[in-house]
């Protein structure tokens, strides 16, 4: 547990916790809490903490992390409550009942070794966890009876709480470092979840609302909820790159400077980076830059995203190129 605590402290250090919360800090904090939940009662049959002790334990975890340099308001930064450790409304909270209801061999076959590339693109562990959560929540039985469950808030909450119990069970069976790696890969897949069609749909939303004006001087528009960045008019980049047909030091320098300015605003995910790069490329095209300056200046997805080369990097790169090609083909008036 010391290694996991140290990693959480590092990933959620005071200066950067809020900046990298969705990509780095909060996934790591969630992983720590799952592992703590599993190990807390490892000598008993319980998979969750009792209500009588959970608040004190949760407070101790936050205090220990803060004493080692982590942000002292992590519970606020990551919107995490102590109840996450209790199993909430999940009806199964002990090992014996869990193992009677869930095919644990099938579960561990899918999740004991999570492949960082395959899991994000062809999930195996994520569906297995959901299946186990459905079983112990009692929802699977309802689904088998063809009853509608997903319109009922209490059932959805129960499924989410039961997923936490599944994570706790894993934490009892796997070494902490192995469990932490698996949980972080699953979090990365969730962050990057999406398809080319989704990106293009969002891109079309952007042009529906911003066509013509491109929302200068700042590009907020309807994409603010997806990509909370400001795109100041890249006049220097347009001036330096408008007529280039070969690598140009002045063009590439101006382009890299502008991208560096985007990076300073906030750290973004691969999914957001694709949208970011696509919108910026279209702004340049609108300004008369008809050459693919990303290719000329050797700029790719990792130059926009904090995640860089990650579990699904190759797939994201393919999405990047497809999306850029689509953007190049669009005519903006």
């Amino acid at each position: 547990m010391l290694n996991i605590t140290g990693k959480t402290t590092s990933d959620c250090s005071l200066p950067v916790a809020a900046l990298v919360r969705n990509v780095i800090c909060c996934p790591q904090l969630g992983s720590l809490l799952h592992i703590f939940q599993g190990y807390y009662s490892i000598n008993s049959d319980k998979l969750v903490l009792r209500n009588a002790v959970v608040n004190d334990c949760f407070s101790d975890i936050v205090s220990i992390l803060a004493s080692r340099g982590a942000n002292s308001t992590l519970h606020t930064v990551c919107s995490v409550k102590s109840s996450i450790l209790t199993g909430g409304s999940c009806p199964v909270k002990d090992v014996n009942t869990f193992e009677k209801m869930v095919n644990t061999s099938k579960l561990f076959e899918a999740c004991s070794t999570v492949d960082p590339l395959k899991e994000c693109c062809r999930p195996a562990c994520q569906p297995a966890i959901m299946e186990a959560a459905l079983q112990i929540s009692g929802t699977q039985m309802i689904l088998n009876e063809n009853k509608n469950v997903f319109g009922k808030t209490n059932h959805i909450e129960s499924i989410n709480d039961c997923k936490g119990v599944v994570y706790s069970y894993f934490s009892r069976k796997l070494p902490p470092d192995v469990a932490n790696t698996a949980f972080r890969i699953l979090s990365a897949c969730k962050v990057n979840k999406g398809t080319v069609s989704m990106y293009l749909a969002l891109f079309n939303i952007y042009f529906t609302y911003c066509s013509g004006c491109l929302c200068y001087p700042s590009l907020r528009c309807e994409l603010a909820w997806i990509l909370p960045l400001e795109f100041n008019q890249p006049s220097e980049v347009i001036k330096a790159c408008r007529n280039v047909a070969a690598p140009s030091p002045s063009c590439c320098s101006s382009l890299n400077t502008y991208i560096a300015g985007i990076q300073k605003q906030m750290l973004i995910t691969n999914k957001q980076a694709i949208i970011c790069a696509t919108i910026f490329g279209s702004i340049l095209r609108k300004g008369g830059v008809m050459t693919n300056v990303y290719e000329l200046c050797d700029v790719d997805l990792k130059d926009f995203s904090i995640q860089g080369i990650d579990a699904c990097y190759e797939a994201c790169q393919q999405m990047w190129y497809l999306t850029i090609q689509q953007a190049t083909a669009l005519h903006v008036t």
Side-chain angles (χ1 to χ4, degrees):
M1 284 294 294
L2 288 177
N3 288 342
I4 309 304
T5 303
K7 181 166 181 57
T8 308
T9 300
S10 175
D11 287 352
C12 297
S13 60
L14 182 60
V16 300
L19 191 62
V20 299
R21 58 185 176 185
N22 294 331
V23 181
I24 297 176
C25 174
C26 298
Q28 180 56 42
L29 177 63
S31 179
L32 171 67
L33 293 175
H34 290 319
I35 294 170
F36 174 80
Q37 182 179 340
Y39 270 71
Y40 178 81
S41 304
I42 198 167
N43 293 320
S44 72
D45 187 46
K46 300 299 181 183
L47 290 169
V48 300
L49 275 68
R50 293 180 292 110
N51 290 328
V53 301
V54 68
N55 287 333
D56 289 338
C57 287
F58 185 79
S59 178
D60 287 346
I61 291 172
V62 174
S63 296
I64 290 171
L65 292 173
S67 70
R68 298 184 179 186
N71 191 305
S72 60
T73 60
L74 283 182
H75 56 293
T76 302
V77 171
C78 296
S79 301
V80 176
K81 298 180 180 180
S82 60
S83 57
I84 192 176
L85 299 171
T86 66
S89 59
C90 184
V92 174
K93 300 181 179 181
D94 64 275
V95 174
N96 287 336
T97 307
F98 184 95
E99 291 180 340
K100 288 178 181 177
M101 297 183 68
V102 175
N103 185 339
T104 55
S105 296
K106 179 181 177 181
L107 185 62
F108 275 99
E109 182 179 354
C111 296
S112 58
T113 303
V114 181
D115 187 292
L117 178 58
K118 292 180 180 179
E119 182 62 34
C120 292
C121 305
R122 296 185 296 277
C125 181
Q126 296 169 81
I129 290 174
M130 177 57 75
E131 181 181 352
L134 289 171
Q135 289 170 338
I136 64 175
S137 68
T139 305
Q140 187 64 58
M141 183 179 299
I142 297 174
L143 292 175
N144 291 341
E145 296 174 355
N146 295 319
K147 295 182 179 179
N148 181 20
V149 62
F150 292 103
K152 301 178 180 179
T153 304
N154 59 328
H155 284 299
I156 295 174
E157 290 178 353
S158 178
I159 293 169
N160 288 331
D161 290 338
C162 286
K163 286 176 70 175
V165 173
V166 177
Y167 285 128
S168 177
Y169 182 80
F170 269 125
S171 298
R172 292 170 63 100
K173 301 296 182 178
L174 298 175
D177 289 340
V178 174
N180 187 67
T181 298
F183 295 155
R184 289 300 302 272
I185 291 172
L186 295 178
S187 295
C189 293
K190 182 178 179 180
V191 168
N192 284 315
K193 186 178 181 181
T195 63
V196 175
S197 59
M198 172 186 171
Y199 299 132
L200 296 181
L202 297 177
F203 193 57
N204 288 333
I205 289 173
Y206 158 69
F207 279 111
T208 297
Y209 286 89
C210 301
S211 180
C213 65
L214 285 178
C215 301
Y216 288 146
S218 65
L219 179 64
R220 284 287 181 176
C221 243
E222 298 300 316
L223 274 179
W225 60 278
I226 302 164
L227 186 65
L229 298 174
E230 289 188 2
F231 287 77
N232 296 321
Q233 186 170 357
S235 55
E236 293 298 320
V237 182
I238 292 172
K239 180 180 178 181
C241 301
R242 179 174 289 159
N243 298 315
V244 300
S248 163
S250 61
C251 171
C252 294
S253 175
S254 179
L255 178 65
N256 289 328
T257 298
Y258 188 91
I259 293 174
I262 294 176
Q263 291 174 333
K264 289 180 181 178
Q265 291 185 45
M266 67 175 292
L267 302 175
I268 62 176
T269 67
N270 279 338
K271 181 170 68 176
Q272 292 173 319
I274 294 173
I275 301 169
C276 173
T278 305
I279 293 173
F280 180 43
S282 297
I283 293 174
L284 295 180
R285 186 174 176 82
K286 177 71 174 179
V289 179
M290 309 308 291
T291 305
N292 185 348
V293 290
Y294 291 155
E295 183 176 345
L296 288 181
C297 297
D298 196 27
V299 171
D300 60 22
L301 182 64
K302 65 178 179 292
D303 295 304
F304 286 89
S305 173
I306 175 62
Q307 290 183 311
I309 301 176
D310 72 347
C312 206
Y313 180 69
E314 293 181 8
C316 289
Q317 283 289 79
Q318 293 172 3
M319 294 177 188
W320 147 273
Y321 287 121
L322 286 171
T323 311
I324 291 298
Q325 289 172 7
Q326 178 75 10
T328 303
L330 286 173
H331 175 68
V332 184
T333 58

